[in-house]
Amino acid sequence: MDLDALKSGINNRLEQPVTVMSRTVVCKVPRSRGLLIRLRRNLWIETALYLLCTPFMLFEAWRSENFSMTIYNATFSVVMFLLAPVFARLAGRITRHIHADHSVQEGLNELLDILKTYQRRYLQFNLLMVPVCMIYAVALVIAFPVTDMGNDQADTLRLATWQIWLIFIGLLGILMLTTWYLSRWWIHWLYGRFIRDLEAELKSVDDPE
Amino acid sequence: MSASEQAFLGRIAEHERLIHKVCRLYADDPADREDLFQEILCQAWRSYAGFREESRFSTWLYRVALNTAITHLRKKRRFGDNAVGQDWVRNETQADPYEEEVQLMYAAINRLSRIDKAIILLYLEDCSYEDMSEIMGMSVSNIGVRLNRIRKRLKEDCEHQKSARDGS
């Protein structure tokens, strides 16, 4: 049984039309469910949200009467200001990839690189958000202290400064480790198998034997 | 509709057969094939502005279609094994020996890896090694080695399937 002998039969099967949809809608409604298009859409939404929020946060940081809230808002503004261009750059790279005329191998290499970069950025972003949220929590405690606490609660709060720092750093460490582990698990669940498959295929392309 | 849209759709209509082939080979069920068809057209339209006529339109369209199909496969494969072609083997009559062999070969092609599928698709289209090399981004010698290996594997796979079925 040889492939050449069956060529016409297989071609006949493959050439059967798969759709009756009108082609004319394609230029008008380019709504896509492709992997990269969705990824880019998410990145643009995040970037737009950051850019939208930053002026408000800066305004709040400038106007706030409470110093702790000023620190929080200013920190968050800086984080968003730094992250927005990173995400925008990645989204731009995806756009260039979408519009580029790649060969299959080049396309796979670029896709793999984009996905790995996205994984890395996702982890970095989540890890960065943990200390920011911790600062927020501390800022809230300082800004809005509980005044009518009972004796027991008051006793627990009589801690030395080094003890408070120890608790803060300990909590931060635990939260960052947990975040790192869960984010890593999630991003691997989403793209891990696909990336492994792509890597295996690309390896076989480089080494046909 | 603008002139560029008309020109694009006209060229697509000429090469539509090519997209159908890619969809048949890379998508599992009719709904998924329609999705992929639409996805390839969307992707081709997005990239069309960047097409500089440096290569043939069919070569460019193959690149777009294969790149899209390989990406599109991901979300479907997570939910189950790729069983394309098996439906034909099961559902259609086995009276004609040629048809039977075609079905076995088709099912064997669908068990290949994504890159091997693309190479076989181009081979079935009677593309030259140089064209295959341009579309795949691999050297001509690499294409030759892979093609021989794939053909050998397909032959063995078909014979194995046939003997297994005759045995049962």
Side-chain angles (χ1 to χ4, degrees):
Chain A
M1 192 186 293
D2 191 58
L3 183 62
D4 289 320
L6 305 172
K7 214 177 209 179
S8 65
I10 293 170
N11 272 328
N12 282 340
R13 289 210 176 276
L14 286 171
E15 285 169 16
Q16 289 173 22
V18 297
T19 180
V20 289
M21 290 161 77
S22 168
R23 288 187 305 276
T24 52
V25 298
V26 73
C27 307
K28 303 291 178 196
V29 194
R31 186 170 177 79
S32 168
R33 279 180 283 174
L35 170 74
L36 285 175
I37 300 294
R38 280 182 300 173
L39 209 61
R40 185 180 61 166
R41 197 157 51 217
N42 293 344
L43 286 168
W44 279 131
I45 289 170
E46 289 200 40
T47 308
L49 280 175
Y50 292 161
L51 292 176
L52 211 67
C53 286
T54 305
F56 290 105
M57 302 288 268
L58 276 175
F59 183 69
E60 271 299 307
W62 174 58
R63 262 203 56 179
S64 180
E65 291 174 2
N66 195 304
F67 184 63
S68 55
M69 292 309 286
T70 303
I71 290 179
Y72 166 70
N73 283 313
T75 311
F76 215 105
S77 307
V78 169
V79 168
M80 286 194 288
F81 194 71
L82 289 175
L83 281 178
V86 172
F87 284 157
R89 217 175 121 196
L90 188 54
R93 190 175 164 194
I94 293 173
T95 304
R96 281 195 300 280
H97 174 62
I98 288 167
H99 293 282
D101 181 17
H102 286 304
S103 69
V104 171
Q105 192 180 4
E106 281 170 348
L108 286 178
N109 271 321
E110 179 68 3
L111 175 65
L112 193 61
D113 202 36
I114 286 173
L115 284 177
K116 282 183 169 177
T117 308
Y118 181 77
Q119 276 194 325
R120 218 167 34 243
R121 296 279 177 262
Y122 182 84
L123 272 175
Q124 287 167 351
F125 167 75
N126 281 356
L127 286 179
L128 195 62
M129 287 312 282
V130 176
V132 172
C133 290
M134 283 284 282
I135 291 172
Y136 181 53
V138 173
L140 280 179
V141 168
I142 296 170
F144 307 103
V146 181
T147 52
D148 57 344
M149 60 180 66
N151 286 337
D152 293 344
Q153 286 167 302
D155 286 342
T156 55
L157 286 176
R158 276 195 212 109
L159 297 167
T161 311
W162 70 268
Q163 286 172 316
I164 293 171
W165 273 108
L166 198 69
I167 291 169
F168 183 82
I169 291 167
L171 270 176
L172 190 65
I174 291 166
L175 281 173
M176 283 189 85
L177 271 177
T178 312
T179 307
W180 178 79
Y181 181 78
L182 290 176
S183 304
R184 198 165 163 268
W185 171 81
W186 172 245
I187 203 81
H188 275 260
W189 186 81
L190 278 179
Y191 301 113
R193 182 178 160 184
F194 184 58
I195 287 176
R196 276 199 305 278
D197 286 355
L198 275 188
E199 279 177 334
E201 297 232 12
L202 283 168
K203 198 179 167 197
S204 76
V205 169
D206 293 335
D207 179 21
E209 299 300 329
Chain B
M1 192 185 290
S2 70
S4 68
E5 281 177 25
Q6 275 181 335
F8 170 73
L9 291 174
R11 296 180 95 169
I12 287 290
E14 280 174 36
H15 296 86
E16 197 175 287
R17 187 182 58 86
L18 180 159
I19 307 177
H20 289 306
K21 288 178 96 168
V22 173
C23 293
R24 283 246 166 236
L25 207 52
Y26 280 90
D28 293 1
D29 56 68
D32 195 22
R33 282 180 200 137
E34 284 200 12
D35 273 357
L36 181 55
F37 186 87
Q38 196 72 2
E39 196 65 49
I40 291 171
L41 284 186
C42 285
Q43 182 56 42
W45 173 240
R46 279 188 210 104
S47 311
Y48 187 62
F51 176 53
R52 303 276 171 238
E53 309 280 350
E54 285 163 2
S55 57
R56 284 202 307 270
F57 184 77
S58 60
T59 304
W60 172 82
L61 190 57
Y62 254 123
R63 284 180 164 200
V64 172
L66 288 171
N67 274 318
T68 310
I70 288 169
T71 309
H72 184 81
L73 192 60
R74 177 198 151 270
K75 67 177 176 187
K76 298 295 173 190
R77 286 187 72 185
R78 194 189 298 159
F79 301 106
D81 292 330
N82 189 351
V84 187
Q86 296 293 337
D87 50 346
W88 284 349
V89 176
R90 278 197 304 271
N91 296 338
E92 295 189 7
T93 56
Q94 308 289 314
D96 185 354
Y98 178 78
E99 275 300 302
E100 188 185 339
E101 291 200 346
V102 167
Q103 285 162 13
L104 280 173
M105 183 62 80
Y106 185 84
I109 288 172
N110 275 294
R111 283 191 287 273
L112 292 173
S113 73
R114 283 169 285 197
I115 287 177
D116 288 351
K117 267 186 197 178
I119 292 173
I120 279 297
L121 194 68
L122 298 173
Y123 174 75
L124 289 170
E125 193 75 348
D126 286 327
C127 285
S128 67
Y129 278 20
E130 284 74 21
D131 284 347
M132 285 190 206
S133 165
E134 192 184 342
I135 292 167
M136 299 300 295
M138 295 154 70
S139 66
V140 172
S141 59
N142 196 343
I143 291 279
V145 171
R146 278 186 88 95
L147 197 52
N148 281 333
R149 198 184 59 181
I150 298 166
R151 288 176 62 181
K152 194 178 163 196
R153 193 194 302 162
L154 284 174
K155 195 174 178 181
E156 285 169 1
D157 193 4
C158 286
E159 280 165 5
H160 177 72
Q161 292 295 323
K162 203 173 179 182
S163 59
R165 205 179 51 196
D166 291 344
S168 65

